[in-house]
Amino acid sequence: MAKWKRSARLIDMLKQLLARPHQLIPLTYFAQKYSSAKSSISEDLAIIDEVMTREGYGLLETVTGAAGGVRYIPKLSLDQAKAVLDDLCVQLSNPERILPGGFLYMSDLLGNIDLLEQIGHIWATVFSEEKIDVIMTVETKGIPLAYAVAYYLRAPVVIVRNEYRVTEGSVVTVNTVSGSSRRMKQLSLSRRSLPEGSRVLIIDDFMKAGGTILGMMELLSEFKAKVVGVGVMVDSPANVKLVDSYVSLVKVTDVDIKERKIRVELGNFLDLGGKKYEKN
Amino acid sequence: MAKWKRSARLIDMLKQLLARPHQLIPLTYFAQKYSSAKSSISEDLAIIDEVMTREGYGLLETVTGAAGGVRYIPKLSLDQAKAVLDDLCVQLSNPERILPGGFLYMSDLLGNIDLLEQIGHIWATVFSEEKIDVIMTVETKGIPLAYAVAYYLRAPVVIVRNEYRVTEGSVVTVNTVSGSSRRMKQLSLSRRSLPEGSRVLIIDDFMKAGGTILGMMELLSEFKAKVVGVGVMVDSPANVKLVDSYVSLVKVTDVDIKERKIRVELGNFLDLGGKKYEKN
């Protein structure tokens, strides 16, 4: 096998690193594929890391030793994150979103691939130092967000169902009161979907009192799983918050149906996620 | 602004191209960002294209003229696609998947990010020559697959709901008979989610007779939209197929509950998608 030129190596390595964020790739794999010395591979990685860091794409993390290698850690810079979420605030405050009952139409945003990818990147930055085994969400609108994060954190997704489905096999079910629909809701999770002791990141699109999130936490305790983080896209004021610790991206503080005005501001991701952002 | 070195340019260009498949990036954008001549940019792109084509990642498409530029077209080679789907067949034929009634547990596969990304890549290859405005699926298990394709084809996703939800605003509803549950099912799509005349790719996880897909097609005709393709992950035998033309990745031909044996083979993607694959 012919030796690869540096330019070709850089392209191939970057492609592979980007395709598998948070996964360790041994340097020997690259050295063998390119018939190159490990020292050349290390130089290549330094070049890639320099550009990635400078352009705010993330960074490469090198692990030394026999089981060592390199992994891509996606990190969006604070400035980029703020730009994405400022734009989300503007979009959410469009009065055409107001539905009867003061609900907001958001399905277009949850279908927008560019936005989802950026939100996934932000959450992956905020939660980058947690060891996460599984990302959990509830059908239906949380699903696009959960997968957006999962692509960056490279963890599998489990979906909590609102109704029993035969295709889930045996399930564990809890009851919860949804704040938005003000009715009892069942949350079911397939028995075989989650190994005991899993470390779980909960993701959802919208949170008011947090009844659904609390229900998911109760469900997880049935699986002896540990909640390592909660992320919601849109936070909304409530008299009582049932969940203490969560990361919200934006907050809808007021929907005035009569005046047709929506007030939206940045969520608490800066406070809670600030530590992770300082490093960039 | 200092001129960028070739190595840094290659890294930054590839990152940007990979992040936006199927989207045209003007050469002037790169030339300005790197303070480099367009001829150098073209040389860089030729290097990237060569590695991508050789390694089976896809290719770069250059559009000349004033509105020209370059775009990344993700294409998975036939060999790679077959390897992914052969492995899917092996996984699906695991008898532990058999549920009461002969249903198969597949939620773990739909939570597997690596598999989803590869399936998205395969469908993006099969449908790469269609102009697609929107990708449509139905809750719940079709959603991960629809987004997996959407990341590669860079089209927005709309989700058909089984129940009326206040957060969807006014909806159009059709009734359909689901083959798997043998009961009437409502399919609703938000009025504002789809512009008239949209070109739509339908994606779902499982198809037996095709009642749900047919229902989605009827729904689309209410929006004066055009179906440009149908992709299902798992096809299953039925006495009557209600949908003529669809691309399936794998086919479960038999589930023997007594003997606990599942027979799975490759779907029709080779016949229908073969033309697109020849080019690699």
Side-chain angles (χ1 to χ4, degrees), chain A residues 40-180:
Chain A
S40 309
I41 302 295
S42 293
E43 283 169 35
D44 298 342
L45 291 170
I47 298 171
I48 293 175
D49 184 49
E50 197 199 317
V51 177
M52 301 258 268
T53 308
R54 195 178 62 206
E55 297 299 309
Y57 301 143
L59 51 90
L60 298 188
E61 199 175 82
T62 308
V63 179
T64 52
V70 59
R71 62 164 74 95
Y72 163 52
I73 311 288
K75 293 212 178 191
L76 201 66
S77 71
L78 186 54
D79 285 351
Q80 285 172 298
K82 270 190 181 158
V84 169
L85 299 180
D86 280 339
D87 182 58
L88 180 57
C89 288
V90 171
Q91 287 199 61
L92 272 172
S93 62
N94 181 343
E96 289 183 10
R97 297 194 176 278
I98 299 178
L99 297 170
F103 294 99
L104 296 187
Y105 183 78
M106 304 200 305
S107 299
D108 58 325
L109 301 172
L110 295 171
N112 180 331
I113 293 298
D114 289 334
L115 176 65
L116 286 172
E117 226 168 42
Q118 288 167 315
I119 287 177
H121 208 159
I122 293 172
W123 268 326
T125 307
V126 171
F127 297 113
S128 68
E129 278 155 47
E130 303 291 347
K131 190 188 162 306
I132 292 163
D133 299 319
V134 170
I135 295 167
M136 180 165 131
T137 191
V138 62
E139 59 181 346
T140 295
K141 292 200 294 191
I143 302 174
L145 293 161
Y147 281 89
V149 190
Y151 279 110
Y152 281 103
L153 290 180
R154 233 54 203 175
V157 177
V158 301
I159 300 173
V160 174
R161 311 291 302 253
N162 288 140
E163 268 185 79
Y164 173 70
R165 302 283 173 173
V166 64
T167 52
E168 297 295 318
S170 68
V171 299
V172 179
T173 300
V174 300
N175 285 295
T176 184
V177 179
S178 162
S180 50

Side-chain angles (χ1 to χ4, degrees), chain A residues 11 14 18 51 55 57, chain B residues 4-20 25-31 33-34 36-49 52 60 70-72:
Chain A
I11 292 161
L14 180 60
L18 291 176
V51 177
E55 297 299 309
Y57 301 143
Chain B
W4 287 44
K5 281 193 198 161
R6 164 147 291 158
S7 54
R9 288 201 309 260
L10 289 173
I11 293 161
D12 195 70
M13 285 166 94
L14 180 60
K15 173 74 176 75
Q16 297 203 44
L17 286 162
L18 291 176
R20 280 176 282 175
I25 306 178
L27 296 197
T28 45
Y29 165 77
F30 288 131
K33 176 162 188 190
Y34 311 136
S36 300
K38 270 202 198 179
S39 56
S40 308
I41 302 295
S42 293
E43 283 169 35
D44 298 342
L45 291 170
I47 298 170
I48 294 176
D49 184 48
M52 301 259 266
L60 298 188
V70 60
R71 61 164 76 95
Y72 163 51

Side-chain angles (χ1 to χ4, degrees), chain A residues 99-101 103-105 180-181, chain B residues 163-170:
Chain A
L99 297 170
F103 294 99
L104 296 187
Y105 183 78
S180 50
S181 61
Chain B
E163 268 185 77
Y164 173 71
R165 301 283 173 173
V166 63
T167 51
E168 296 295 318
S170 67

Side-chain angles (χ1 to χ4, degrees), chain B residues 149-214:
Chain B
V149 190
Y151 279 110
Y152 281 103
L153 289 179
R154 234 53 205 175
V157 176
V158 301
I159 299 172
V160 174
R161 310 292 301 255
N162 287 140
E163 268 185 77
Y164 173 71
R165 301 283 173 173
V166 63
T167 51
E168 296 295 318
S170 67
V171 298
V172 178
T173 301
V174 300
N175 286 294
T176 186
V177 179
S178 162
S180 50
S181 60
R182 285 176 200 83
R183 53 170 192 173
M184 290 299 285
K185 211 159 77 167
Q186 284 203 334
L187 300 178
S188 294
L189 185 61
S190 174
R191 185 53 91 185
R192 58 171 101 183
S193 69
L194 204 62
E196 266 198 14
S198 296
R199 297 173 60 87
V200 180
L201 171 63
I202 295 177
I203 293 289
D204 208 358
D205 61 320
F206 190 85
M207 177 171 138
K208 208 174 159 80
T212 305
I213 304 275
L214 191 68

Side-chain angles (χ1 to χ4, degrees), chain A residues 12-23 25 30 45 48 52 60 70-72:
Chain A
D12 195 69
M13 285 167 93
L14 180 60
K15 174 74 176 72
Q16 297 203 45
L17 286 162
L18 291 176
R20 280 177 281 176
H22 284 277
Q23 280 178 13
I25 305 179
F30 287 131
L45 291 170
I48 293 175
M52 301 258 268
L60 298 188
V70 59
R71 62 164 74 95
Y72 163 52

Side-chain angles (χ1 to χ4, degrees), chain B residues 231-279:
Chain B
V232 297
M233 182 170 89
V234 180
D235 191 9
S236 174
N239 293 332
V240 184
K241 288 278 183 192
L242 302 170
V243 179
D244 298 326
S245 170
Y246 60 93
V247 180
S248 64
L249 299 184
V250 298
K251 190 169 179 173
V252 174
T253 54
D254 190 49
V255 179
D256 186 328
I257 304 177
K258 232 169 140 186
E259 298 284 332
R260 295 191 64 74
K261 277 204 174 131
I262 307 166
R263 209 161 45 217
V264 192
E265 56 190 49
L266 290 181
N268 69 6
F269 84 103
L270 285 178
D271 321 328
L272 288 166
K275 201 160 41 89
K276 275 92 186 182
Y277 271 109
E278 273 171 15
K279 293 193 179 164

